[in-house]
Amino acid sequence: MAVLARTGRPAYRLYRLAWAGLDWLYPPRCGGCEKPFTRWCASCAQAASALTETICARCGAVVAEGAECARCRGQQSLFYAARSVAPYTGSIRNAIRQLKFAGDMALGEALARPMIDLLDKLEWGVDLVVPVPAGSARRKIRGYNQAALLALPLALGCGLPYRPKALKKVKDTPTQVGLSAAERRDNVRDAFQAAGDLAAGKRILVVDDVMTSGATLNACAQALLHQGALQVYGLTLARAIL
Ligand SMILES: [Zn+2]
Ligand SMILES: [Zn+2]
């Protein structure tokens, strides 16, 4: 039922149709395994299936047992809950690199589909969708923000308002790769600013490609809550297994 309702949404249908037209002109390769004539092949989609292990009720990290992971027990997460589609390995990792460094918008549309399905299942009741913003330096080099390439089709597919201006990155931060959780927290502290007129009184879904320690999502949540957001949720395509 949900699928019927979703594909029936005109804006989403148009968005998908645009990429299907482009595929006809320029036959694509799978973002996960480079198989020709598909953006995201059935076997990569299957391999990158949802995280099925026991997960932390708060942040969605895979845990051996118990309701919350050690990190969430040890610190106060500012986001209400976070979930990811799949572990950050194999074809999902290849596809995210492709999205990040090749700016493949059509691949973003294909990868947003399992996120739409997951959000449907979660029934969080969010009011609007915001991508984690990229700093101006990085955006200038790449020309796009990979989180937005997922967040826009996700919002269209779920019939939710897409509000990229609700969050702004006000501090250019060095890459988080190779940093510890504490270093990541320091790195992104006060890096984001929220727009009060968009955030106040809203339940907000923040979207990113990968979640690692949750530091970025926490910093986004802090900025949004500061401007009066009711609750902040996080959804990412992949989850780094630490
Ligand atoms: Zn593939
Ligand atoms: Zn957790």
Side-chain angles (χ1 to χ4, degrees), residues 31-211:
C33 68
E34 301 206 333
K35 191 181 289 167
F37 306 114
T38 171
R39 297 220 159 270
W40 187 232
C41 77
S43 55
C44 283
Q46 171 89 45
S49 59
L51 286 164
T52 49
E53 291 102 313
T54 317
I55 55 169
C56 167
R58 165 79 63 164
C59 77
V62 176
V63 288
E65 55 176 342
E68 285 199 344
C69 72
R71 185 174 294 136
C72 287
R73 281 199 306 269
Q75 73 179 52
Q76 208 202 346
S77 293
L78 297 171
F79 50 86
Y80 196 76
R83 293 290 182 273
S84 313
V85 169
Y88 185 54
T89 53
S91 33
I92 277 273
R93 187 166 53 194
N94 293 344
I96 286 176
R97 285 186 181 152
Q98 182 80 4
L99 198 65
K100 227 172 196 155
F101 302 111
D104 190 337
M105 291 180 75
L107 180 60
E109 188 278 308
L111 295 174
R113 288 180 214 169
M115 297 175 80
I116 294 169
D117 292 337
L118 180 57
L119 190 63
D120 265 354
K121 269 191 227 133
L122 289 166
E123 296 182 340
W124 280 340
V126 293
D127 300 310
L128 53 98
V129 176
V130 185
V132 169
S136 56
R138 210 161 297 159
R139 214 182 37 239
K140 238 172 241 162
I141 297 168
R142 285 195 196 138
Y144 59 88
N145 168 14
Q146 78 275 1
L149 301 188
L150 296 168
L152 173 61
L154 172 72
L156 289 174
C158 294
L160 289 165
Y162 173 68
R163 297 283 179 268
K165 295 206 164 87
L167 270 176
K168 190 165 76 174
K169 196 158 189 197
V170 289
K171 193 173 93 178
D172 267 321
T173 49
T175 169
Q176 306 260 71
V177 176
L179 299 185
S180 72
E183 288 167 333
R184 281 167 186 262
R185 250 194 330 271
D186 288 341
N187 193 30
V188 293
R189 180 166 295 141
D190 302 323
F192 302 99
Q193 225 168 51
D197 55 333
L198 295 172
K202 297 290 197 311
R203 283 181 298 267
I204 298 177
L205 180 69
V206 177
V207 175
D208 208 354
D209 53 350
V210 188
M211 179 169 168

